[in-house]
Amino acid sequence: MTSTAQAPRPSAATHPDHLGHVIFIAAAAAMGGFLFGYDSSVINGAVEAIRSRYDVGPAALAQVIAIALIGCAIGAATAGRIADRIGRIRCMQIAAVLFTISAVGSALPFALWDLAFWRIIGGFAIGMASVIGPAYIAEVAPPAYRGRLGSFQQAAIVVGIAISQLVNWGLLNAAGGNQRGKLMGLEAWQVMLGVMVIPAVLYGLLSFAIPESPRFLLSVGRRDRARQVLAEVESKDADLDARVAEIEHAMKREQKSSFRDLLGGSFLFKRIVWIGIGLSVFQQFVGINVAFYYSATLWQSVGVDPTASFFYSFTTSIINIVGTVIAMIFVDRVGRKPLALIGSVGMAVGLALEAWAFSYDLVGGKLPATQGWVALIAAHLFVLFFALSWGVVVWVLLGEMFPNKIRAAALGVAAAAQWIANWAITASFPSLADWNLSVTYMIYTFFAALSIPFVLKFVRETKGKTLEEMG
């Protein structure tokens, strides 16, 4: 005899009849990830021009670059609640509007503080996109394709980073190699920031072409519409009534986790929460965002001409894409922990070589030839090993490692720690680099090396385990 409270029998994994339509839906939602990567990295092309135009020192410049991360934290913290109230699609449309406003405002600033304000607005949109994209794709994707479609978000982020660097390089060439050269009546760096209007508007338009999440539709009582959406993305042989029942049953059983659930032990948080925070902090403290926020400035500081420095930034972004693809291929084959350890070793070697190269004095405004080549190769090596390991693995682990009861709240704390660590590195780099670039990279090397015993001692392998086993 079966109880009426028993969970509905899960429907078999089926393949959708209109796979192209499903891919289009996931790709449209992942445009938020593209804008996430684009907006995060496009500032790389404007750093030196902002420094020159507003005559600011490294500390003030760093705050303008890093201040977007405050908006990111606020956007990420509020996106889930907004999406639950008004829907995933409306949340995407709000993010698209904020991206557009930020692009226009950043391209036409009249003072440094107002540029900083538009950066915060863009950061809020980034935070929203970082949360709503993966959540929407997971809720709409058919089970048989959820993993592959979910990877669209990370792929879109790294492609956005690469495209921003390519656009910056092209615009710099059009302006004769001068970031403050005139283009369309504006300085080149203003056009770089303003071009983001195009993908932002496209993101907004695409949001009108995709359906609302079945999960949200059921939460507001629109059962028939939810069934229609499931019919669009599932196989015609799928039992749609069973799928609706599965989702409704899961929603009834869910218990919202709170901050109080994370507390325990003598160090405020439970041990597993501290491990999640540690993963987030190590991911940022190796200095990865220096490679995307400041790489053009870095190469110019050691004698590379502006046009070439922008090209090197673009090649770094391509390496980032290659590494991300490698991680997607091997994360389920090799496992999370081995991949993280391989990445830590590779990052430590790359960063140590950069520290060695930058320890030499400039000759005629440039690094000696040997050290210059070592620095260039080591920078690409560092990005490759980060992308094929910690860039993907940390997000996979954070989604799997926490017990069901605290998963949502613990993920929120870990994500907040990541934004704070990101801000600390981004805000401190210009001052540290002005003080001693070699020592700065030694600090990043130290954290890359320290991540090895951290992973060995504290991180559990989650490959092949169900989420229920993580309790």
Side-chain angles (χ1 to χ4, degrees):
M1 233 174 127
T2 56
S3 166
T4 55
Q6 186 176 352
R9 186 182 183 85
S11 56
T14 56
H15 300 273
D17 295 306
H18 306 289
L19 182 57
H21 179 60
V22 175
I23 291 173
F24 170 76
I25 290 173
M31 270 298 296
F34 177 90
L35 282 158
F36 177 169
Y38 193 100
D39 192 38
S40 297
S41 184
V42 72
I43 193 67
N44 186 22
V47 173
E48 287 306 304
I50 292 170
R51 187 199 298 264
S52 168
R53 175 163 173 169
Y54 297 106
D55 192 25
V56 294
L61 178 68
Q63 293 307 318
V64 174
I65 306 305
I67 201 166
L69 300 172
I70 296 174
C72 290
I74 298 171
T78 58
R81 191 161 296 180
I82 293 171
D84 285 339
R85 283 180 176 271
I86 65 174
R88 282 59 166 153
I89 298 299
R90 290 286 179 267
C91 195
M92 291 182 197
Q93 290 164 354
I94 291 172
V97 169
L98 293 177
F99 274 123
T100 304
I101 292 171
S102 171
V104 174
S106 298
L108 303 171
F110 52 82
L112 192 63
W113 69 265
D114 124 84
L115 174 60
F117 173 76
W118 300 121
R119 294 275 299 152
I120 294 175
I121 297 296
F124 193 94
I126 291 174
M128 292 183 73
S130 71
V131 171
I132 200 61
Y136 173 83
I137 293 172
E139 291 175 359
V140 173
Y145 287 86
R146 184 171 295 132
R148 278 164 285 186
L149 293 175
S151 69
F152 277 28
Q153 176 79 359
Q154 180 63 23
I157 291 172
V158 296
V159 170
I161 291 172
I163 294 298
S164 74
Q165 301 304 330
L166 181 60
V167 169
N168 285 354
W169 179 63
L171 290 174
L172 186 70
N173 274 289
N178 181 4
Q179 291 182 29
R180 297 197 62 186
K182 292 296 182 180
L183 282 176
M184 295 180 286
L186 300 172
E187 294 184 3
W189 70 273
Q190 294 176 272
V191 180
M192 292 175 188
L193 299 183
V195 164
M196 195 179 68
V197 165
I198 297 171
V201 171
L202 179 61
Y203 180 40
L205 293 175
L206 286 172
S207 71
F208 287 99
I210 58 178
E212 182 54 87
S213 155
R215 186 182 179 89
F216 173 74
L217 291 169
L218 288 171
S219 74
V220 294
R222 299 180 61 188
R223 206 168 191 271
D224 290 341
R225 178 54 183 153
R227 197 177 185 282
Q228 290 174 4
V229 174
L230 288 170
E232 291 181 33
V233 300
E234 302 268 358
S235 165
K236 63 181 179 182
D237 298 323
D239 187 339
L240 299 180
D241 291 326
R243 287 288 292 119
V244 168
E246 286 175 31
I247 297 171
E248 288 180 329
H249 185 80
M251 290 169 64
K252 288 175 183 175
R253 291 187 59 192
E254 282 178 357
Q255 175 185 354
K256 290 188 176 180
S257 53
S258 67
F259 185 79
R260 184 178 299 176
D261 295 323
L262 308 182
L263 305 180
S266 55
F267 296 99
L268 184 63
F269 292 125
K270 293 177 179 177
R271 185 174 184 268
I272 191 67
V273 179
W274 280 117
I275 294 172
I277 292 172
L279 285 168
S280 289
V281 170
F282 274 117
Q283 189 199 51
Q284 296 301 316
F285 274 18
V286 296
I288 185 59
N289 281 309
V290 167
F292 298 116
Y293 294 162
Y294 296 114
S295 58
T297 298
L298 175 63
W299 294 122
Q300 289 172 51
S301 73
V302 294
V304 176
D305 71 81
T307 303
S309 73
F310 276 52
F311 178 73
Y312 293 152
S313 296
F314 173 63
T315 60
T316 300
S317 299
I318 296 301
I319 293 294
N320 190 27
I321 294 174
V322 171
T324 300
V325 172
I326 293 172
M328 289 177 177
I329 293 171
F330 288 104
V331 70
D332 284 321
R333 299 180 184 181
V334 175
R336 289 72 161 133
K337 192 168 180 176
L339 213 54
L341 291 170
I342 291 169
S344 293
V345 172
M347 289 190 298
V349 171
L351 289 165
L353 288 171
E354 286 193 82
W356 172 81
F358 292 135
S359 68
Y360 282 76
D361 294 330
L362 301 184
V363 178
K366 296 183 178 182
L367 281 175
T370 300
Q371 285 70 29
W373 278 107
V374 168
L376 183 61
I377 294 169
H380 287 75
L381 184 72
F382 163 61
V383 171
L384 175 64
F385 275 95
F386 175 87
L388 65 81
S389 60
W390 284 74
V392 170
V393 165
V394 168
W395 286 111
V396 173
L397 283 170
L398 291 178
E400 297 174 335
M401 63 186 284
F402 300 115
N404 284 331
K405 184 179 178 181
I406 67 168
R407 180 166 290 113
L411 255 170
V413 169
Q418 196 167 116
W419 287 120
I420 292 169
N422 188 337
W423 173 83
I425 292 297
T426 304
S428 63
F429 177 75
S431 297
L432 286 173
D434 272 9
W435 167 59
N436 192 312
L437 189 56
S438 178
V439 172
T440 301
Y441 273 89
M442 287 176 64
I443 293 171
Y444 301 154
T445 305
F446 169 77
F447 283 109
L450 190 61
S451 70
I452 297 172
F454 175 83
V455 170
L456 287 171
K457 183 172 177 59
F458 297 112
V459 176
R460 289 173 56 192
E461 180 58 71
T462 58
K463 172 191 170 187
K465 295 183 179 179
T466 66
L467 296 181
E468 286 68 33
E469 289 181 85
M470 300 313 296

